[in-house]
Amino acid sequence: MFLPHAIGEVSETFQLFIHMTTSETSMSAGTVPKDVIDIRATGTGQENPFRLSPLVGVKWPTSVPYGPTLNIYNPFDKELRVQEVYVSGGEVNLVPPPFIGSKASSWTISPYDTKPIVKLNLFSDKSYNHLSYVTVRLGGSDQLDIKLPIEVDLVSSARVFAMPTRISFGSFSRDSPPVVVPIFLLSTHNSSTNIFSITTES
């Protein structure tokens, strides 16, 4: 399965470890021959038309809930229906946002509209690298599954954390209204943290 984390060309090498038995060897003898085959794989990551991005490269403090909200954009001229959202990984829970009701229309997105669908909740009091996947199943005549990797480095050291760690402004024209994306900072230092300036780099 090809699951790129960024837009552009991707090239990776993976190895196949082949264990085999022949008429001259047996598993019980402990002399199972093996071979290693290198396979070069290439592909091109394209922009997600639903403006969903992988949650990778995230650093977050332990004992603090990490809870980003998944917002889905409908690029079509007809309604888009979200059939199902599920996650692989027992430590991530899916929580409906408080403004999302239980009606079927809650997961129906109007044409060219953006709507929050579900909130992810990850909590741990231990430092480790978390890896899981969330799948968004879109309905319609052609069913589509979108898999988003979740890679969060949970750390216990004192520092300043930001949410979100990635920003996507999507596509807009010269006449489009300004797009505002708030960034929240969280400090785990024992004392107050003063911010003197904020700059951007491209």
Side-chain angles (χ1 to χ4, degrees):
M1 180 175 64
F2 178 60
L3 192 62
H5 291 186
I7 299 175
E9 189 171 323
V10 179
S11 180
E12 296 287 345
T13 300
F14 63 92
Q15 294 180 323
L16 291 180
F17 293 86
I18 302 176
H19 298 262
M20 51 192 168
T21 59
T22 66
S23 58
E24 300 176 355
T25 61
S26 63
M27 294 289 291
S28 60
T31 57
V32 180
K34 62 180 179 180
D35 199 359
V36 180
I37 301 177
D38 292 334
I39 297 180
R40 189 74 173 175
T42 59
T44 302
Q46 297 180 346
E47 184 178 3
N48 190 305
F50 307 101
R51 298 180 184 173
L52 290 170
S53 301
L55 302 173
V56 298
V58 179
K59 288 186 179 292
W60 197 251
T62 57
S63 302
V64 177
Y66 175 69
T69 300
L70 292 185
N71 299 283
I72 298 182
Y73 170 74
N74 181 5
F76 306 116
D77 58 358
K78 57 183 179 180
E79 288 187 340
L80 177 66
R81 171 68 179 166
V82 179
Q83 287 189 337
E84 185 180 8
V85 180
Y86 60 92
V87 66
S88 61
E91 296 182 352
V92 175
N93 297 318
L94 299 179
V95 182
F99 39 82
I100 294 295
S102 58
K103 298 181 180 180
S105 59
S106 299
W107 277 14
T108 300
I109 307 173
S110 302
Y112 311 115
D113 191 17
T114 301
K115 197 171 188 179
I117 296 300
V118 74
K119 182 178 181 180
L120 306 179
N121 187 26
L122 171 63
F123 179 85
S124 177
D125 56 0
K126 299 179 180 179
S127 299
Y128 76 104
N129 294 321
H130 174 85
L131 174 60
S132 59
Y133 295 88
V134 59
T135 300
V136 180
R137 177 163 294 171
L138 302 178
S141 57
D142 297 326
Q143 185 172 289
L144 176 65
D145 285 353
I146 302 176
K147 293 185 179 295
L148 301 175
I150 305 173
E151 298 178 5
V152 182
D153 184 13
L154 296 165
V155 297
S156 57
S157 58
R159 54 180 297 170
V160 176
F161 300 86
M163 180 186 282
T165 56
R166 289 190 174 193
I167 297 176
S168 175
F169 292 102
S171 302
F172 53 92
S173 64
R174 179 180 300 177
D175 299 329
S176 299
V179 178
V180 179
V181 180
I183 299 177
F184 300 93
L185 299 180
L186 171 66
S187 174
T188 56
H189 292 278
N190 294 326
S191 57
S192 300
T193 302
N194 298 320
I195 301 176
F196 294 99
S197 65
I198 298 178
T199 60
T200 61
E201 294 182 0
S202 57

